[in-house]
Amino acid sequence: MGHQLRDSVDLHRRSDSRLTDLGLDRWRDLPRAQTPPWPDPSAVDEVCDVLGQVPTIVAPYEVDQLRDRLALACEGQAFVLVGGDCAETFVDNTEHHLLANARTLLQMAVVLTYGASVPVIKVGRFAGQYTKPRSAATDALGLPSYRGDMINAIEPDPQARVADPRRMVRAYANAAAAMNMMRAYLGGGMADLHAVHTWNKDFVRISAAGERYEAIAREIDRALSFIRACGMTEDEALRTVTLYSSHEALALEYERALTRLSNSQAYGLSGHFLWIGERTRQLDGAHLDYVSRLANPIGVKIGPTTSPDDALALCAKLNPDNVPGKLTLISRMGNHKVRDVLGPVVEKVTTAGHKVVWQCDPMHGNTHESSNGYKTRHFDRVVDEVLGYFEVHRQLGSHPGGLHVELTGEDVTECLGGAQAIEDVNLPEKYETACDPRLNTQQSLELAFLVAEMLRG
Ligand code: PEP
Ligand code: MN
C-alpha cells in the first residue's frame, strides 16, 4: 500500500471510530425490524468499507440550512412540499424521469406559493429512495419480497430476489448521478420563474388543472413585468430553486456508511432529510436509535395506531433539545381516521411545548386493492385526508406545516379519480410503479390547487 493510500485509510478509521464513540454503531445491538436478509455479512462489510470513503451525496451545511428552513414551517411561516416516487428504480433513474418528477413537484410548489402566498420548501423523494419496508417476507408468488433496488431485484425470480449488498454501491452511484444532474439543471435555470410555462407538459396543458396552471403562469409573467417596469432589480431567487433530497432511512448499513463527522457532529449525508417509516419506528429499536444521533432534520411516519404518548416519546427521543425544524411528524392515518386520531396527538405534543413540523402524508393510509387486483388509491380519499388534517390544525390553532405525496411526472394510471375520472378498468393502461400507486401530473396539480385553497383558509 502506498503512503497516501495508507494515510487516507488511517484518517478514515480515526474519524469512523469517533462516530462509533458517538454511538453510531449502537443500532447493531438493538432489535431491528425489516432487516434485509443478507446471505453473507462479510460481503456487506466490504461494501460498507467502500461506501465509507466515497464523496457524499449532500453536504453538512445544506443539511443545516434545511433544518433552519423547516423551523419556519414549525411556526407557520413556510410550507414543506415532499414528493416523488414510492420506490426509485435503477432503470428509471433517467434524465427524463427525474426531470419530469421535478417539474411536477415544482409546478405544485408554484401553485402553493402563488395561490397561498406562502414560501414553499421543496423536497424530493429522490437520490436514495431505493429501499422498501414490506408487510410480509414473501410475496403472492411465494418468492422473497422485493425490498427495493438497493436490496434485491423486482423480477419475479428466486435468484433475482436474493439480497445482494453490491446493490448498495449501485444505489449510491445512481443517487450521486441523480443529485448531480438535478443540481446542474436547477442551477442552470430549469426552475427560472420566467419559464414557468415550459414546465407544463403538453398532456397536462389541455386539462382543467393544466389550464388553471397556465393562468397562474400568466399572472406570474405579469408580476415579473411589473417588477421590471418599476425599475426594481430582479433577485437571483427568481431564477434558481433549491430542491432538497430525502428518502426513508431503512437500510441502516447504507446510512451508516454515508455518515460523516462535521464540527464534532454526525451527519447522515446520503440525503438532506431522512425519515423513519411506520414499520420501523419502534422506540427501542435500531432505526430510531440511529437517526437520534444525527444532526439531520428527521421525519417519522405516524399511522392510525399512534397514541398521544407515542408521539410524545418520539419527540423526547428524537429532539430532546427541542430544536425547531429538527423533527417532523408525518401523519398517514387514512381519511376515515385522521379526524379522530390526529387531534389528541397534536394537542398532547403542543401542550407539552414540543416544536415539530406537522406534515400530512395522505397516501399511505388510503391504499386499497381494486376490483381487478391493482394496489391503488382514490383521489377523493387523498383529498379528504388532507382536509381532515387541516381541520384538526385549525381547531387546535397549530400549524399545518406540509404535504408528503407519492407522485410522478408521467401520465400514469395508478390512482383512481381526479378530473380524468380514472376507474378500475383504466388502471392497466399505464400502471408502472415498482411499489405504491402515485398521483400523475394532473392529479398532483389538482391536489396542489385544493391545498392552496385550504392554506388560504
Ligand atoms: C413510504 O413512504 O413509501 C412508506 C412505506 O410509508 P409508511 O412507512 O408510512 O408506510
Ligand atoms: Mn409508498
Side-chain angles (χ1 to χ4, degrees):
M1 210 190 304
H3 275 300
Q4 267 182 332
L5 184 56
R6 202 161 47 225
D7 285 353
S8 100
V9 170
D10 283 350
L11 192 70
H12 166 66
R13 294 239 164 86
R14 271 202 303 281
S15 86
D16 216 59
S17 76
R18 287 189 58 201
L19 287 173
T20 303
D21 295 343
L22 286 172
L24 276 295
D25 287 304
R26 281 283 309 283
W27 62 276
R28 299 183 195 274
D29 302 321
L30 297 173
R32 177 181 178 193
Q34 302 282 336
T35 306
W38 306 119
D40 173 10
S42 69
V44 176
D45 292 343
E46 265 171 44
V47 163
C48 289
D49 279 346
V50 172
L51 291 180
Q53 302 195 59
V54 294
T56 55
I57 309 292
V58 303
Y61 81 91
E62 300 173 313
V63 170
D64 291 338
Q65 183 191 64
L66 174 59
R67 204 187 44 242
D68 291 346
R69 292 194 178 163
L70 290 174
L72 297 173
C74 257
E75 305 298 337
Q77 291 163 15
F79 192 77
V80 195
L81 176 65
V82 185
D85 295 312
C86 175
E88 289 186 280
T89 61
F90 298 160
V91 282
D92 266 334
N93 191 43
T94 61
E95 198 174 312
H96 171 80
H97 181 69
L98 289 161
L99 290 177
N101 280 18
R103 283 202 186 100
T104 300
L105 192 72
L106 293 173
Q107 279 182 286
M108 288 181 80
V110 163
V111 170
L112 292 171
T113 312
Y114 194 84
S117 304
V118 55
V120 175
I121 303 160
K122 297 158 242 355
V123 183
R125 285 175 67 117
F126 85 112
Q129 179 52 21
Y130 285 116
T131 54
K132 297 313 299 174
R134 302 321 299 244
S135 36
T138 50
D139 67 9
L141 300 171
L143 293 169
S145 294
Y146 169 60
R147 290 174 183 273
D149 273 14
M150 190 190 290
I151 311 294
N152 57 7
I154 197 165
E155 284 70 37
D157 168 84
Q159 202 47 44
R161 291 290 173 83
V162 175
D164 180 355
R166 288 170 303 180
R167 287 183 155 265
M168 287 195 279
V169 179
R170 288 183 67 189
Y172 160 75
N174 275 286
M179 198 69 217
N180 178 58
M181 197 210 75
M182 282 316 308
R183 289 180 193 281
Y185 273 91
L186 291 167
M190 163 194 168
D192 190 329
L193 266 189
H194 300 80
V196 274
H197 299 282
T198 61
W199 314 349
N200 209 6
K201 291 212 157 189
D202 291 339
F203 63 79
V204 184
R205 203 170 279 129
I206 46 170
S207 73
E211 283 173 21
R212 265 180 102 179
Y213 178 80
E214 282 297 325
I216 285 195
R218 280 194 298 273
E219 286 182 44
I220 291 173
D221 280 347
R222 289 185 50 203
L224 293 173
S225 311
F226 175 73
I227 290 175
R228 272 194 302 272
C230 294
M232 285 187 267
T233 48
E234 290 182 16
D235 195 68
E236 178 65 13
L238 299 174
R239 300 195 181 274
T240 60
V241 148
T242 303
L243 176 63
Y244 296 99
S245 72
S246 74
H247 62 264
E248 177 172 352
L250 183 61
L252 292 174
E253 295 83 356
Y254 180 81
E255 300 305 332
R256 172 66 179 84
L258 287 168
T259 298
R260 302 284 184 270
L261 203 60
S262 175
N263 285 328
S264 307
Q265 280 186 293
Y267 284 80
L269 298 179
S270 59
H272 299 109
F273 181 84
L274 304 175
W275 80 83
I276 298 299
E278 166 74 356
R279 292 165 192 79
T280 47
R281 62 175 171 83
Q282 298 78 12
L283 267 182
D284 301 319
H287 291 85
L288 284 194
D289 185 273
Y290 192 73
V291 297
S292 74
R293 298 168 194 278
L294 300 177
N296 300 59
I298 299 296
V300 186
K301 296 285 199 85
I302 51 172
T305 60
T306 312
S307 71
D309 284 329
D310 292 342
L312 217 51
L314 287 172
C315 295
K317 172 128 192 150
L318 296 176
N319 193 13
D321 299 328
N322 208 9
V323 177
K326 168 79 195 175
L327 179 61
T328 299
L329 293 180
I330 311 160
S331 57
R332 36 85 84 218
M333 306 192 156
N335 72 314
H336 301 306
K337 302 228 168 107
V338 62
R339 290 171 181 83
D340 296 329
V341 181
L342 183 59
V345 167
V346 174
E347 195 166 18
K348 186 134 196 176
V349 167
T350 315
T351 309
H354 285 293
K355 303 267 185 217
V356 304
V357 178
W358 296 104
Q359 204 176 89
C360 172
D361 164 0
M363 312 298 290
H364 289 88
N366 297 313
T367 312
H368 73 273
E369 192 178 313
S370 69
S371 58
N372 46 353
Y374 287 84
K375 195 180 192 185
T376 190
R377 292 157 172 159
H378 201 291
F379 185 75
D380 293 349
R381 287 185 63 190
V382 169
V383 172
D384 189 52
E385 176 151 2
V386 185
L387 209 55
Y389 154 88
F390 271 92
E391 284 166 21
V392 165
H393 285 290
R394 292 278 182 260
Q395 262 164 30
L396 295 169
S398 44
H399 301 296
L403 180 70
H404 186 128
V405 287
E406 290 181 342
L407 59 77
T408 174
E410 325 278 340
D411 58 345
V412 298
T413 54
E414 298 173 2
C415 291
L416 301 168
Q420 289 163 283
I422 296 173
E423 295 179 24
D424 285 9
V425 290
N426 305 119
L427 292 174
E429 287 165 16
K430 207 167 171 357
Y431 192 98
E432 297 181 343
T433 184
C435 194
D436 290 341
R438 304 159 294 179
L439 299 174
N440 64 28
T441 309
Q442 294 185 47
Q443 291 167 327
S444 302
L445 272 184
E446 282 173 62
L447 181 62
F449 279 112
L450 292 168
V451 173
E453 276 166 24
M454 296 179 208
L455 270 169
R456 277 200 304 260

